[in-house]
Amino acid sequence: MYTHADSDRQFPGSGDARHGADPERRGFDLRHHGDAEVRDEKLTDLAVNVRTDTPPEWLRQRIADSLTGLAAYPDGRAARAAVAERHGLPVWNVLLTSGAAEAFVLLARALRVRRPVVVHPQFTEPETALRDAGHEVRRVLLREEDGFRLDPALVPQDADLVVVGNPTNPTSVLHPASVVAELARPGRTLVVDEAFMDAVRGEREALAGRTDLPGLVVLRSLTKTWGLAGLRVGYVLAAPETVAALERAQPLWPVSTPALVAAEACMTPRALAEAEEAARRVEVERAHLMAGLAEFEEVRAVEAAEGPFVLIRVEGADVVRERLRDLGFAARRGDTFPGLGPQWLRLAVRDRATTNRFLQALDQALVMAGCAGPGAGGRSGA
């Protein structure tokens, strides 16, 4: 058995740090999400990682057409079959959910686990769901000096549930599939959050569709690429017995008819081709953002970024973030992610014109916050 202190142990790879049981006492607001940065204010949104100008018109039309069928109870069979076909799986390996966030709650409530571990920094909802379900959660903290890259050796051998993101939010690091797969073993549930994988060109390093890894559970979301945060639709790919256990924990008709129609539409070859093109554009625009950030002596970006967002470190980031708000830009604070702190910010990748305006605002914000050195703002060589 694990003591209460053991359950709250963190494994940063360079020694264990013990903390109290309440996550709020540890200084991490695990319930804070990027939408809070832009709610009720007219700001250019770099805080939420949803692709701009979405949903596309053809998808909006499909959703609108579905409204004529709202008198009937939702029927998820077609959408479930479409997801299964997209990943080359039988339908009994697929569970549709009200967003990927619901899947974390189902996993926390339905699976009998005793020693869950969450790999941080990452999306905080998995840990929140586990704690709300009464689990004592241990953390593995990936290190900045290692580029926040996954080291399977840091995960305790006795962990019977491990949660890791790929590519990871907020670091944007894409872990090799072979490295993530090292965490799979009999008697352990390995949950891989691939909510941003469709924003990676070629979905390289994806584990979705794999059936050879014991205990593998892959989560996907349609929120980010297709702009469906308000519709709530995602899915789970797992062994049939795991899907059945999660399904028993769901309420009746958990996914609405419009969400089911959207899920089916986003699995078509046309939609997949559009997503791939969007991922290619993200790659180009991310490189432009990273090049601009490299001009600032005060800013250090996580160079391994492969997702539609980047993580940057800048001293006085909390003040810089407020100055950016004054200049019309919302950035995601990093101090709510275990393993980070108040010197971190996450920035969504946007089009070139928006990025250029942001870089100018960042230059001003650094000066206003007193972070830039003497001379013209914070740009090296300026």
Side-chain angles (χ1 to χ4, degrees):
M1 293 291 291
Y2 285 86
T3 65
H4 192 70
D6 283 330
S7 69
D8 289 306
R9 184 179 296 169
Q10 300 189 55
F11 297 84
S14 58
D16 299 341
R18 296 177 184 240
H19 301 268
D22 186 351
E24 296 296 332
R25 289 213 307 261
R26 280 178 255 177
F28 298 108
D29 180 3
L30 299 182
R31 299 185 187 277
H32 181 85
H33 297 296
D35 61 312
E37 310 282 354
V38 292
R39 192 176 298 144
D40 301 326
E41 295 193 46
K42 293 182 179 180
L43 299 171
T44 299
D45 179 13
L46 303 184
V48 178
N49 297 322
V50 174
R51 186 162 64 102
T52 56
D53 299 322
T54 53
E57 176 58 34
W58 64 265
L59 183 53
R60 288 199 299 269
Q61 190 59 55
R62 288 286 298 273
I63 294 169
D65 291 345
S66 74
L67 300 182
T68 60
L70 292 186
Y73 286 95
D75 182 348
R77 288 177 296 177
R80 188 178 185 183
V83 171
E85 182 179 0
R86 182 254 200 271
H87 291 287
L89 294 170
V91 292
W92 46 83
N93 288 85
V94 176
L95 181 68
L96 300 169
T97 58
S98 179
E102 187 204 11
F104 293 123
V105 174
L106 296 176
L107 288 162
R109 294 178 179 178
L111 300 188
R112 295 183 178 180
V113 296
R114 299 177 61 193
R115 295 174 291 277
V117 168
V118 178
V119 179
H120 286 286
Q122 79 150 311
F123 184 47
T124 54
E125 199 62 34
E127 179 169 329
T128 300
L130 286 163
R131 289 185 177 276
D132 286 347
H135 296 286
E136 297 176 338
V137 181
R138 293 180 293 175
R139 295 172 176 168
V140 168
L141 303 182
L142 304 184
R143 303 185 301 183
E144 178 188 2
E145 54 266 39
D146 297 329
F148 296 110
R149 298 181 185 279
L150 177 64
D151 179 358
L154 299 179
V155 176
Q157 293 289 322
D158 63 351
D160 58 0
L161 182 143
V162 178
V163 185
V164 62
N166 201 32
T168 300
N169 171 21
T171 64
S172 201
V173 173
L174 181 66
H175 307 295
S178 59
V179 174
V180 179
E182 289 181 37
L183 294 172
R185 63 193 57 187
R188 171 185 288 176
T189 299
L190 171 60
V191 180
V192 185
D193 178 6
E194 292 188 353
F196 291 99
M197 189 62 79
D198 63 351
V200 175
R201 187 165 55 87
E203 294 196 4
R204 59 191 187 279
E205 314 306 342
L207 291 179
R210 293 276 296 269
T211 58
D212 58 315
L213 298 176
L216 176 65
V217 177
V218 174
L219 308 184
R220 287 288 184 108
S221 169
L222 301 181
T223 294
K224 322 303 180 190
T225 290
W226 299 111
L228 298 176
L231 202 56
R232 310 309 306 140
V233 58
Y235 55 90
V236 177
L237 306 174
E241 58 271 21
T242 301
V243 168
L246 300 181
E247 192 168 20
R248 287 193 295 269
Q250 276 187 313
L252 291 173
W253 309 291
V255 184
S256 70
T257 294
L260 292 171
V261 167
E264 183 180 359
C266 291
M267 299 299 118
T268 64
R270 170 188 173 180
L272 296 178
E274 183 174 324
E276 178 68 8
E277 174 58 22
R280 188 198 64 78
R281 290 197 303 271
V282 163
E283 193 173 71
V284 172
E285 299 298 353
R286 184 181 60 241
H288 180 68
L289 173 59
M290 293 289 280
L293 292 170
E295 296 185 20
F296 293 91
E297 296 177 347
E298 303 81 9
V299 176
R300 184 165 69 254
V302 176
E303 295 182 356
E306 295 279 1
F309 49 91
V310 300
L311 182 68
I312 66 171
R313 178 171 184 152
V314 54
E315 296 305 319
D318 52 344
V319 179
V320 172
R321 184 172 63 90
E322 288 304 317
R323 299 294 79 79
L324 284 170
R325 295 182 71 84
D326 295 339
L327 295 167
F329 288 87
R332 172 63 158 90
R333 55 190 279 203
D335 60 348
T336 65
F337 294 100
L340 299 182
Q343 68 273 37
W344 294 94
L345 296 174
R346 191 192 69 195
L347 307 171
V349 173
R350 298 298 187 222
D351 63 272
R352 185 156 304 203
T354 301
T355 293
N356 289 341
R357 289 192 295 107
F358 166 72
L359 292 171
Q360 292 175 351
L362 178 60
D363 202 10
Q364 297 177 56
L366 289 168
V367 174
M368 294 164 65
C371 299
R379 293 186 186 238
S380 60

